[in-house]
Amino acid sequence: MPFVKDFTPVALKDTNLFKPIQIGDIELKHRAVMPPLTRMRAHHPGNIPNRNWTAEYYDQRSKYSGTLIITEGAFISPQAGGYDNAPGIWSQEQVDEWTKIFKRIHDNKSFVFVQLWNLGRQAFPDTMARDGLRYDSASDNVYMSEEQKERALKANNPQHGITKEEIKQYIKEYVEAAKNSIAAGADGVEIHSANSYLLNQFLDPISNKRTDEYGGSIENRSRFVLEVVDAIVEAIGHKKVGIRFSPYGLYGAMSGGAEPLIVAQYAHVIGELERRARQGKRLAYIHVVEPRVTDPFLVEGEGEYEQGTNDFVYSIWKGPIIRAGNLALHPEIVKELVKDDRTLVAYGRFWIANPDIVERLEKGLSLNKYNRDTFYAMTDKGYLDYPTYDEAIKLGWDKQ
C-alpha cells in the first residue's frame, strides 16, 4: 500500500496536540489518542486475545512514549458478547494474555485503558442461541433491522428487554471486568456507551421503549449508564474511568440528529457526570464520536451530519474531552480543535495503517493508505505488516 495521494501533511509539533496533559492520574506527553479499534483477531472458543499477534500489534502502536492507547472493545462476560473473534476480559485465560499486552505498552512508557463492551442487540442472535445465551436489548422485539429480526426468530432467540435483575447482573459484570483490567495492569477502563451497543440502546428513544424507571424520560434512559459509571468508580476509582458517547450516530439504527431531543439526552448524562465531578469524582475523560462520522462502516467523508456539533459537551463537562471522527486527513480541523486546552484527538483507521502515526503527525510526514479488506480478517496481514515511515521510504512508497 503506498502513501495517501492528494493529501498534504502538516507538521503539528507546535500545536497543543504535542502539549502534555493530565488524564486521571497519568500524564500524557501529547494528545493524539489511539481509540478502540475492533480487529476480530481473538481466538475462538474463549474470546482470548490472539497469542501470536496482538501483543506485537499494540507494541508497534505505542512506541512513541507517553501515548494513550484505548484497546479494542473487550466483552465483560459471555452474555455481553456475541462475536466469536472479539476478545473478552472475564476469564483468567483472557486476563493472562492482556497482561502480556499491557506490559508491552508500558515497556514503551505509554498508557492503556481497556474499553468495556456489551453488544446488546448488535450481537448475532444465532451465535447467542448456539451458546445458550439471551439476545438482549433495552426492550423486547425492537429490532434494529428486518434482517436481524428474521435471524433472531429463525434461531428461536427473540430480542429480550432485560429485567431489572439482569441489569444488576450486568453492572456486576462491568465491575468485575474493570477489576480484571486493573489486575492485568491497565491504567484504566473506558465504558462503551456509543455506536449502538447496549448502553447506547438504553439512552436512545428509538431502541428504548421501556415503561419502568429505565425508560420513558431522559432521566430514566440515563439511569443504566450512570449506575454502571457509579459502580465502576466505586470499584477502581474515578481517575481510572472514561466513557464514550456518539450523540449523532446512526449506526445500528440509532436516532442521531433526527431526534430533536438527542442533545438534551446527552446533555443530561454529561451533566450528571459533571455533577459527580464537582463532588470529587471527576472521570478521567469523556470521549465523543464527532458528527463527521455517523456510521463507522462508511468511508471517510460519507454520512457526515452537518447540522450538529459536539461543542455542547464543553459547556457542561469541564474535564478532558477526546474527539474522534475522520480527522487524520484534516489537520486544519485538528489545529482548531486543540486550541481548547482540554481537547485530545483520536485517530482510528490511520493508526491501524501507521503504527508510528504520532511521529508522522508531529513532523508532517505522509500517511500510509489503509486496506479496509483486512480490518476484520483473521490474518496478520493488514495487522502487523504496515511499515513505519522510514520503512515505507525504503520500500519506495514515496515513488508510487
Side-chain angles (χ1 to χ4, degrees):
M1 300 292 288
F3 291 141
V4 177
K5 304 290 185 203
D6 303 319
F7 166 61
T8 305
V10 174
L12 297 171
K13 182 179 183 215
D14 295 328
T15 71
N16 272 354
L17 193 68
F18 283 88
K19 181 180 172 185
I21 187 170
Q22 191 77 22
I23 295 294
D25 50 17
I26 60 178
E27 185 174 288
L28 308 180
K29 288 190 178 174
H30 60 88
R31 293 143 188 254
V33 176
M34 179 170 155
L37 296 161
T38 300
R39 303 306 311 274
M40 295 298 188
R41 262 72 173 184
H43 299 293
H44 173 76
N47 296 93
I48 300 154
N50 194 291
R51 297 184 187 92
N52 304 313
W53 306 328
T54 302
E56 177 67 18
Y57 168 79
Y58 282 105
D59 177 60
Q60 289 177 356
R61 283 153 186 79
S62 58
K63 291 287 193 194
Y64 194 111
S65 71
T67 295
L68 176 58
I69 305 287
I70 307 170
T71 72
E72 62 207 282
F75 297 141
I76 60 171
S77 67
Q79 180 60 66
Y83 301 157
D84 286 346
N85 296 112
I89 194 155
W90 71 81
S91 75
Q92 191 57 51
E93 214 171 348
Q94 294 162 349
V95 169
D96 289 346
E97 199 55 44
W98 282 119
T99 301
K100 296 172 193 167
I101 294 164
F102 301 158
K103 183 180 185 304
R104 297 281 287 270
I105 294 169
H106 286 145
D107 284 349
N108 291 330
K109 297 187 168 52
S110 286
F111 305 98
V112 59
F113 273 51
V114 179
Q115 192 189 56
L116 303 182
W117 203 12
N118 189 333
L119 292 181
R121 68 180 191 175
Q122 280 280 11
F124 297 141
D126 41 1
T127 298
M128 302 303 275
R130 178 199 70 195
D131 295 341
L133 300 167
R134 303 182 309 266
Y135 178 48
D136 284 351
S137 187
S139 302
D140 292 329
N141 300 319
V142 185
Y143 294 94
M144 62 182 180
S145 67
E146 279 302 311
E147 180 192 2
Q148 197 77 337
K149 179 179 181 180
E150 194 177 314
R151 195 168 178 174
L153 297 180
K154 189 176 177 184
N156 195 27
N157 198 10
Q159 188 172 302
H160 166 68
I162 56 177
T163 66
K164 291 184 213 173
E165 282 306 308
E166 288 160 357
I167 287 172
K168 286 179 186 166
Q169 177 61 30
Y170 272 137
I171 292 169
K172 286 180 187 169
E173 290 168 1
Y174 273 106
V175 168
E176 282 307 305
K179 287 179 175 175
N180 285 347
S181 301
I182 301 304
D187 299 289
V189 300
E190 176 177 286
I191 299 163
H192 196 353
S193 185
N195 294 353
S196 85
Y197 300 108
L198 185 69
L199 294 179
N200 195 175
Q201 290 158 33
F202 269 76
L203 287 174
D204 201 308
I206 208 167
S207 47
N208 185 342
K209 306 297 184 187
R210 300 174 75 99
T211 55
D212 64 2
E213 64 265 43
Y214 290 94
S217 68
I218 282 172
E219 291 82 1
N220 285 354
R221 289 199 302 270
S222 301
R223 193 179 307 277
F224 186 16
V225 176
L226 293 170
E227 287 179 349
V228 170
V229 169
D230 291 341
I232 293 178
V233 164
E234 180 71 23
I236 66 171
H238 60 97
K239 291 184 177 182
K240 296 184 185 301
V241 183
I243 189 165
R244 192 179 213 207
F245 298 116
S246 53
Y248 302 100
L250 297 173
Y251 175 63
M254 293 289 98
S255 295
E259 166 55 55
L261 293 178
I262 206 70
V263 170
Q265 176 68 63
Y266 284 93
H268 175 261
V269 177
I270 291 165
E272 282 295 309
L273 297 177
E274 178 60 25
R275 187 170 65 77
R276 287 158 172 74
R278 294 182 188 188
Q279 293 167 351
K281 292 183 177 177
R282 182 172 298 287
L283 300 188
Y285 62 81
I286 286 176
H287 186 177
V288 287
V289 180
E290 294 295 296
R292 298 173 61 77
V293 177
T294 55
D295 182 333
F297 285 88
L298 296 176
V299 300
E300 260 88 11
E302 282 187 12
E304 181 172 353
Y305 180 69
E306 296 177 345
Q307 296 170 282
T309 168
N310 282 329
D311 291 352
F312 75 93
V313 178
Y314 287 79
S315 61
I316 305 165
W317 172 254
K318 302 307 176 187
I321 299 172
I322 302 172
R323 304 182 79 154
N326 184 20
L327 293 166
L329 301 182
H330 295 280
E332 74 285 357
I333 295 174
V334 172
K335 277 184 168 183
E336 289 303 309
L337 292 180
V338 297
K339 283 179 180 175
D340 183 282
D341 203 39
R342 295 186 283 130
T343 300
L344 302 91
V345 175
Y347 296 86
R349 301 166 195 184
F350 280 96
W351 210 304
I352 288 173
N354 297 269
D356 58 338
I357 191 170
V358 182
E359 187 179 350
R360 298 193 198 209
L361 295 168
E362 182 182 34
K363 297 176 180 175
L365 305 176
S366 296
L367 296 175
N368 302 342
K369 286 169 72 173
Y370 56 74
N371 180 1
R372 294 180 72 89
D373 294 342
T374 57
F375 279 178
Y376 308 114
M378 183 56 94
T379 170
D380 60 352
K381 303 292 181 286
Y383 193 62
L384 300 181
D385 58 349
Y386 283 110
T388 63
Y389 181 78
D390 289 345
E391 289 166 347
I393 293 297
K394 285 177 186 166
L395 291 167
W397 284 19
D398 55 327
K399 308 286 195 299
Q400 293 181 34

